[in-house]
Amino acid sequence: MGGEPKGNARVCGFEGSLLRRLLLDTTFIVDAERSETDLDEVILDDDDVAVAAITIAELGVGVELSNGKIRALRQQLLDEVLAEIPVLGYDIDVARFHAQ
């Protein structure tokens, strides 16, 4: 790393760090749902974002544990995430890299 930001990379709050891809977690997506915010309002077209497969599982649990209108809304959100945001496998190597 180092050097000037290129492309969509942004300077983070840490000196010398570059943000290459933002990994959205379950909390981010659930907060958007609860505030009735469309994900398109907070994720710009040129933002490089992804979710981990574990996030998809957690959102799926939210669907399974709900019923009625809430279940339908949560399923719609999960479908939107799957259609719009790349899903990354999250294994031990990825977790170690993420921790660094």
Side-chain angles (χ1 to χ4, degrees):
M1 285 197 183
E4 294 298 314
K6 297 178 184 173
N8 293 335
R10 296 191 187 124
V11 176
C12 295
F14 301 102
E15 189 173 332
S17 296
L18 293 178
L19 177 63
R20 303 265 184 226
R21 172 171 270 178
L22 182 61
L23 189 62
L24 305 178
D25 67 1
T26 306
T27 302
F28 175 87
I29 296 169
V30 169
D31 284 349
E33 174 197 23
R34 287 182 179 160
S35 68
E36 298 180 9
T37 302
D38 188 338
L39 290 177
D40 286 335
E41 293 177 27
V42 292
I43 302 171
L44 304 177
D45 288 341
D46 63 343
D47 286 340
D48 188 8
V49 299
V51 295
I54 188 67
T55 299
I56 298 302
E58 292 170 347
L59 293 172
V61 167
V63 171
E64 294 299 320
L65 292 176
S66 57
N67 54 45
K69 183 179 178 182
I70 297 296
R71 183 183 181 110
L73 290 171
R74 288 182 177 174
Q75 184 63 58
Q76 181 180 352
L77 177 66
L78 178 55
D79 292 343
E80 179 184 351
V81 168
L82 288 169
E84 301 292 328
I85 302 173
V87 178
L88 303 177
Y90 205 83
D91 59 20
I92 192 68
D93 292 331
V94 173
R96 286 182 177 142
F97 183 79
H98 188 195
Q100 292 174 355

